Amino acid sequence: QRCLALIKSTKFLNAYITVAEETALKQAEESEERYKRGQPLGILDGIPIAVKDNFNTAGIETTCASNMLKGYISPYNATVVQKLLDHGAVLLGKTNLDEFAMGSGSTDGVFGPVRNPWSYSKQYKEKSVPKSHSEDEESGWVITGGSSGGSAAAVSSFTCFAALGSDTGGSTRNPAAHCGVVGLKPTYGLISRHGLIPLVNSMDVPGILTRCVDDAAVLLGSLAGHDPKDSTTIQDDFKPFELPNLTDVSKLSIGIPKEYHAPGLSSEILALWSKAADLFKNAGAKVVEVSLPHTRYSIVCYHVLCTAEVASNMARFDGLEYGHRSDMKDSTESMYAATRREGFNDVVRGRILSGNYFLLKQNYEKYFVKAQKVRRLIANDFVKVFRSGVDVLLTPTTLSDAAPYMEFIQEDNRTRSAQDDILTQAANMAGLPAINVPTALSERGLPVGLQFIGRSFQEKQLLTVAKWFE
Ligand code: GLN
């Protein structure tokens, strides 16, 4: 009830698209009953959790923040949603995002932009629940980052204890960094994507947003593992783990990739990054500079692969099976066309067009196949570095703290989202686990985070290091 009240009083953040008040209260009551009767409790029993609105939820609308899916109610739960419920969690509602998770600001959804709760702490300096919208409206509130901005704002404003996001190029880690929360992108294949409406199937992973690293480990433990409904999930059983209190980091080797000194990296974040490296060094860890030479091709390569997969994924939205259907009755063809024009925003339509271009017979080898080869080179860079004995990589998560909304929307959103993913995106190319850990406040009093990238399926090691650092 307190979470629901807080969701109401922070409505101006626009973090939620749907609040499932009735079912949430019912789930909470059932949990209380289990507790009273002394029944065995699930690891998430009674814990209020929010879910990004691109995961299917039976009986609760799933919109992807798009006109195309407004009013769509899935007949089934995404595997991760079902797992949350099976572990006793209370599903509070569905959180806001960029349309179909395409973006890095949470400003492009059809329900309007998400506001960063930190905008409303006086001078951004007070760590407190935001109070009202009006006092800051004129002075320029800041974005949450995206595309899982609703989930990050929901955790950061204390309206839930954890939230699910998705991460294709940085969409969990980027908003986590801007909102001062933990954001975990697990190894590709560790958590089922069944019921997550796809953006780039070969890179999408469900993401976990929490207030601390320990909570992320608990969520991971309840969500990870094989799913017969997602053939890309690992076959092995996943053993949930508790994080040890690491006291000795002297056996660790921390890699600092030199290519992450990207153009546009703010001096504040650069200083924070070196300070963090020193912290490990002073605690006895080996800190080594490493090189990931193909990283610089990652953004262009992503553009080709992403749009190609988008063109194919979006084909299903034709006005017949899901959500919106145009009134245009001239012909089936024109109904398809009108439905897609009315249903998708510019970003989505632009990507469908680019993707179809890259997939044309005469372009396929030149762009799509080549991009796949470059992707392999990017992934191999990581393999080499980890083989050389590095345990985890330490990098910034974002180039700067969160931009004011008015500033952010002035830039072209194609170049903008490319820039914003520059430090997070390569981990998706390589399928590696990575985590944002909130680290400090910027001079403006906004949260900034650092990122750890680990070896495939070595979440325990990654989270242990993150916890030590936290
Ligand atoms: N910003 C990237 C994009 O626009 C990644 C988004 C994501 O991770 N969902 O595609």
Side-chain angles (χ1 to χ4, degrees):
Q1 277 167 344
R2 282 173 65 177
C3 286
L4 289 168
L6 212 44
I7 292 176
K8 276 188 197 134
S9 66
T10 58
K11 204 170 178 331
F12 57 90
L13 296 176
N14 209 12
Y16 289 79
I17 293 175
T18 305
V19 182
E21 182 160 352
E22 237 172 77
T23 47
L25 287 171
K26 200 166 149 257
Q27 287 160 359
E29 272 161 27
E30 284 166 4
S31 171
E32 202 179 357
E33 279 300 307
R34 283 193 290 274
Y35 176 71
K36 279 188 186 151
R37 281 201 225 109
Q39 283 176 342
L41 298 178
I43 188 152
L44 300 174
D45 228 295
I47 311 267
I49 293 180
V51 172
K52 187 176 181 180
D53 206 17
N54 58 351
F55 288 94
N56 282 325
T57 42
I60 302 170
E61 201 177 340
T62 300
T63 69
C64 284
S66 174
N67 275 327
M68 186 57 93
L69 284 179
K70 259 190 199 168
Y72 170 66
I73 296 185
S74 163
Y76 71 97
N77 280 324
T79 297
V80 282
V81 172
Q82 193 55 49
K83 284 194 175 192
L84 288 179
L85 296 173
D86 291 347
H87 285 101
V90 172
L91 175 57
L92 281 176
K94 306 293 289 291
T95 56
N96 204 348
L97 65 156
D98 288 300
E99 186 160 327
F100 283 98
M102 296 183 202
S104 53
S106 300
T107 54
D108 283 340
V110 73
F111 301 102
V114 187
R115 299 186 167 91
N116 192 323
W118 287 81
S119 314
Y120 304 93
S121 306
K122 210 175 258 144
Q123 292 298 314
Y124 306 140
K125 292 257 158 74
E126 273 171 22
K127 245 190 174 171
S128 63
V129 178
K131 293 189 182 59
S132 72
H133 176 42
S134 53
E135 64 192 69
D136 267 87
E137 185 140 39
E138 301 307 320
S139 57
W141 51 273
V142 299
I143 60 158
T144 53
S147 62
S148 313
S151 292
V155 174
S156 163
S157 59
F158 306 103
T159 60
C160 61
F161 286 76
L164 296 187
S166 61
D167 196 312
T168 309
S171 275
T172 291
R173 290 159 286 159
N174 170 296
H178 286 325
C179 293
V181 298
V182 169
L184 170 66
K185 171 224 174 286
T187 309
Y188 183 83
L190 185 58
I191 301 191
S192 169
R193 290 178 294 113
H194 174 69
L196 165 62
I197 295 173
L199 172 59
V200 185
N201 310 48
S202 68
M203 295 180 212
D204 294 342
V205 283
I208 293 169
L209 296 113
T210 52
R211 296 180 195 168
C212 63
V213 177
D214 274 321
D215 285 358
V218 172
L219 263 280
L220 183 72
S222 56
L223 299 176
H226 180 65
D227 178 9
K229 292 177 180 142
D230 175 358
S231 61
T232 61
T233 49
I234 40 148
Q235 292 296 327
D236 305 346
D237 272 347
F238 178 82
K239 281 188 203 67
F241 51 77
E242 263 181 45
L243 294 175
N245 275 320
L246 188 66
T247 46
D248 180 14
V249 294
S250 66
K251 289 191 185 62
L252 282 178
S253 171
I254 308 286
I256 309 288
K258 63 175 186 211
E259 289 78 9
Y260 281 63
H261 291 90
L265 185 66
S266 80
S267 52
E268 268 185 297
I269 294 196
L270 179 62
L272 195 66
W273 185 19
S274 349
K275 223 168 126 186
D278 288 344
L279 193 78
F280 278 100
K281 223 184 280 172
N282 295 339
K286 200 167 133 200
V287 177
V288 286
E289 187 183 81
V290 297
S291 175
L292 301 162
H294 296 93
T295 292
R296 64 196 164 109
Y297 304 116
S298 170
I299 291 295
V300 273
C301 180
Y302 175 76
H303 180 70
V304 177
L305 295 176
C306 167
T307 56
E309 292 201 39
V310 162
S312 142
N313 278 328
M314 295 293 146
R316 77 190 70 184
F317 300 107
D318 56 8
L320 295 180
E321 277 174 282
Y322 312 95
H324 178 68
R325 180 184 301 176
S326 168
D327 290 337
M328 170 69 76
K329 294 198 176 69
D330 292 0
S331 66
T332 309
E333 288 283 290
S334 54
M335 188 280 287
Y336 288 159
T339 296
R340 289 160 73 80
R341 187 172 57 240
E342 293 161 17
F344 294 136
N345 71 3
D346 286 355
V347 177
V348 179
R349 284 203 305 266
R351 290 198 194 187
I352 294 172
L353 282 174
S354 311
N356 281 317
Y357 176 81
F358 295 133
L359 293 173
L360 287 175
K361 199 171 171 202
Q362 66 268 34
N363 293 337
Y364 186 80
E365 284 283 332
K366 193 166 147 205
Y367 295 111
F368 186 68
V369 174
K370 187 149 190 185
Q372 283 182 312
K373 289 179 183 162
V374 177
R375 177 180 184 175
R376 173 64 64 195
L377 294 173
I378 295 168
N380 284 348
D381 281 351
F382 285 103
V383 173
K384 276 185 210 144
V385 163
F386 287 126
R387 271 206 196 125
S388 76
V390 166
D391 296 303
V392 290
L393 298 165
L394 169 65
T395 80
T397 311
T398 56
L399 294 171
S400 63
D401 58 4
Y405 174 69
M406 292 314 281
E407 206 175 280
F408 186 78
I409 56 167
Q410 263 148 29
E411 289 165 45
D412 181 300
N413 61 26
R414 273 168 293 257
T415 47
R416 195 184 64 204
S417 72
Q419 263 298 99
D420 286 344
D421 288 344
I422 209 152
L423 306 170
T424 47
Q425 207 275 307
N428 297 78
M429 288 277 180
L432 298 172
I435 186 168
N436 171 72
V437 182
T439 306
L441 294 184
S442 68
E443 270 161 30
R444 293 194 298 154
L446 292 170
V448 281
L450 291 174
Q451 171 179 237
F452 293 95
I453 306 174
R455 296 189 171 117
S456 270
F457 299 108
Q458 298 303 313
E459 268 75 3
K460 186 166 181 190
Q461 183 179 48
L462 177 71
L463 293 181
T464 304
V465 175
K467 181 176 169 180
W468 179 86
F469 180 70
E470 177 188 47

